[in-house]
């Protein structure tokens, strides 16, 4: 889009989200120099980098700096109009207490149903739908990771060509399983996460486990009888390869055993075919990483628009990242469908506040040097931009870390904001498609589900043209709109879910490790 970039380089563009805001974001590539004249006639007193805030009016000392119509900070000194407002000039507001919050007070008209959209998916015995057909090998403990990975390489090379309808084989490696306080109350989080990941819709209900033998997390504890619907149906036992089994003589005997067990599952997975299912079978996890000031202007609002489309189509959407929504708690409890949902959200926030307190930090530990370089002064500003991914629908459900999704519609799935932990917990919740927005840029990807990456800026989309799937930067350039990008994302989701299109992360096989959230002690 040469016209847009020419326009960008010559005419100063600033973006204000709400008319009450007293700062705006510089949109131009490379920022704006001192002396640049804005459309309003305001002259910049100093250079302001792209994505950073410029004061639109004179701000007195202690005056609130408003973005998204909320105070994202208070001026530490008098800031004249036309100045660069960065984190060094702001005092962060205190966190909103969890008492006296509005509970389900927003009474909006229900969103109009969106009908007629479908995709081609793999219907599972438990009713869920996969977007990929993957053999996942569950592991009880980190000790078996090397052997399993060795076997997986051989399965890929020697067996997968014989089973053309299976997309991939994935080792669910992790660092848990032994050397941990497995009876601590919070150990329930990593254990249920591992259990629920092995039941992710993309694995077709085919669960096979590699165990060491002496670990604390025994296979029967990870997947107790009754936890796998397909096994009960077939009246079969859990399929376990135990490396310490006396029958194994030498390393290759273990590898052969894993390959032999894998074959049974590959036969069954290979017999499956995609069928046309309604868009309501999508289970989408949204998150952001490497955020900048554009995240909350372009990519996240477009994702929010798409979230509304998905909810209207009857699908499931999860938003997460507790430290990034904590500062918007009052907006969210107000948007809860019922007071009970609002209370569940408060419970998750309170749990996380206490968790952070145990480590002597608070939510301000969230922002990164890159966030600040990208114009995000603090967690309040980041949170306001993060929450918009959740769209406008009522929040109809809340789940705790590692739990499985209970209902369709918009769910708050409580997770840390860490990209890998959030992705891992959304996998456990049953996500079959992942949407990830980024401003600074991250090549993030998962082996277990397709990850659609949305760039917040055209410059990033241009430089990372073979890593970013959607460019939401057109919204800031003035060549695209929130609605347009939201629809583009929605249609792309159906293409990707159907297997007709691969995401860039899938194309290059960019797979980040699963990272468990273990709030319990290790031993
Ligand atoms: Ca994140």
């Amino acid at each position: 889009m040469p016209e847009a970039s020419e326009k960008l380089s010559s005419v100063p563009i600033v973006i204000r989200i709400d008319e009450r805001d007293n700062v705006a974001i510089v949109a131009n590539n490379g920022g704006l120099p001192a002396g640049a004249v804005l459309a309003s006639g305001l002259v910049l007193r100093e250079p302001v980098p792209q994505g950073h805030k410029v004061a639109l009016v004179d701000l007195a000392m202690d005056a609130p700096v408003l973005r998204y119509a909320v105070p994202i900070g208070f001026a530490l000194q008098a800031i004249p109009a036309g100045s660069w407002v960065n984190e060094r000039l702001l005092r962060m507001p205190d966190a909103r207490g969890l008492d006296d919050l509005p509970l389900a007070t927003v009474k909006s008209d229900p969103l109009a149903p969106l009908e007629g959209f479908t995709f081609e998916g793999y219907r599972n015995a438990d009713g869920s739908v996969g977007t990929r057909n993957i053999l996942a090998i569950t592991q009880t403990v980190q000790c078996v990771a090397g052997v399993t990975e060795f076997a997986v390489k051989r399965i890929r090379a020697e067996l997968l060509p014989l089973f053309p309808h299976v997309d991939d084989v994935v080792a669910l490696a992790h660092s848990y399983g032994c050397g941990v306080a497995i009876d601590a109350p919070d150990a329930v989080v990593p254990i249920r996460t591992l259990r629920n990941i092995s039941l992710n819709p993309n694995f077709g209900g085919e669960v096979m486990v590699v165990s060491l033998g002496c670990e604390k997390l025994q296979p029967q504890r990870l997947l107790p009888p009754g936890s796998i619907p397909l096994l009960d149906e077939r009246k079969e036992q859990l399929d376990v390869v135990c490396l310490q089994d006396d029958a194994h003589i030498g390393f290759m005997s273990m590898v052969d055993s894993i390959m032999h067990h894998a074959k049974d599952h590959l036969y069954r997975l290979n017999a499956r075919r995609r069928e046309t299912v309604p868009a309501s079978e999508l289970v989408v996890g949204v998150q952001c990483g490497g955020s900048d000031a554009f995240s909350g202007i372009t990519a996240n609002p477009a994702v929010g628009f798409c979230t509304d489309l998905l909810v209207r189509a009857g699908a499931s959407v999860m938003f997460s990242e507790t430290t990034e929504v904590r500062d918007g708690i009052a907006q969210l409890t107000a948007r809860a469908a019922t007071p009970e949902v609002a209370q569940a959200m408060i419970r998750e926030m309170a749990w996380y506040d206490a968790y952070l307190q145990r480590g002597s930090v608070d939510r301000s530990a969230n922002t990164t040097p890159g966030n600040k370089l990208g114009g995000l002064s603090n967690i309040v500003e980041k949170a306001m931009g993060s929450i918009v991914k959740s769209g406008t629908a009522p929040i109809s459900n809340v789940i705790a870390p590692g739990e499985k999704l209970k209902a369709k519609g918009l769910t708050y799935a409580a997770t840390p904001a860490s990209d890998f932990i959030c992705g891992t917990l959304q996998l456990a919740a049953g996500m079959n498609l992942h949407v990830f927005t980024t401003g600074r840029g991250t090549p993030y990807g998962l082996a277990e589900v397709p990850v659609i990456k949305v760039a917040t800026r055209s410059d990033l989309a241009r430089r990372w043209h073979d890593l970013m799937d959607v460019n939401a930067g057109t919204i800031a350039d003035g060549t695209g709109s929130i609605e347009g990008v939201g629809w583009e994302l929605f249609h792309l989701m159906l293409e990707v879910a159907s297997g007709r299109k691969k995401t860039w992360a899938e194309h290059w096989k960019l797979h980040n490790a699963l990272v468990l959230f273990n709030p319990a002690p290790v031993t």
Side-chain angles (χ1 to χ4, degrees), residues 441-465:
T442 163
Y444 173 88
L446 292 173
E448 296 80 8
V449 291
V451 179
I452 296 175
K453 287 207 296 299
V454 184
T456 71
R457 291 175 299 126
S458 293
D459 180 52
L460 175 68
R462 180 184 54 77
R463 288 185 293 114
W464 288 29
H465 59 91

Side-chain angles (χ1 to χ4, degrees), residues 287-289 321 324 416-419 422 436:
Q287 71 151 321
C288 47
E321 304 175 289
E324 288 173 14
S418 153
D419 298 349
C422 173
F436 192 104

Side-chain angles (χ1 to χ4, degrees), residues 367-428:
T367 39
T368 67
N371 290 155
K372 288 176 178 163
L373 209 60
L376 290 175
S377 293
N378 58 37
I379 186 60
V380 183
E381 184 174 16
K382 188 172 172 179
M384 294 307 138
S386 176
I387 285 173
V388 295
K389 296 196 297 298
S390 68
T392 63
I395 300 160
S396 51
N397 194 24
V398 174
I399 58 172
E403 282 186 339
K404 236 172 142 53
L405 213 59
K406 296 169 189 149
K408 291 189 186 284
L410 182 62
T411 290
Y412 181 68
T415 78
S418 153
D419 298 349
F420 324 104
I421 299 181
C422 173
T424 300
L425 292 170
Q426 289 185 341
L427 274 175

Side-chain angles (χ1 to χ4, degrees), residues 77 85 98 149 197 205 223 375 379 400-401 435-436 477 484 505 523:
Q77 62 189 58
V85 181
L98 294 177
E149 188 52 40
I197 286 182
L223 291 152
I379 186 60
V435 174
F436 192 104
D477 302 346
T523 59

Side-chain angles (χ1 to χ4, degrees), residues 103-105 107 333 336-346:
L103 307 180
T105 48
K107 297 286 174 235
T333 54
T338 65
E340 291 72 31
V341 170
Q343 293 289 2
M345 186 161 268
I346 293 168

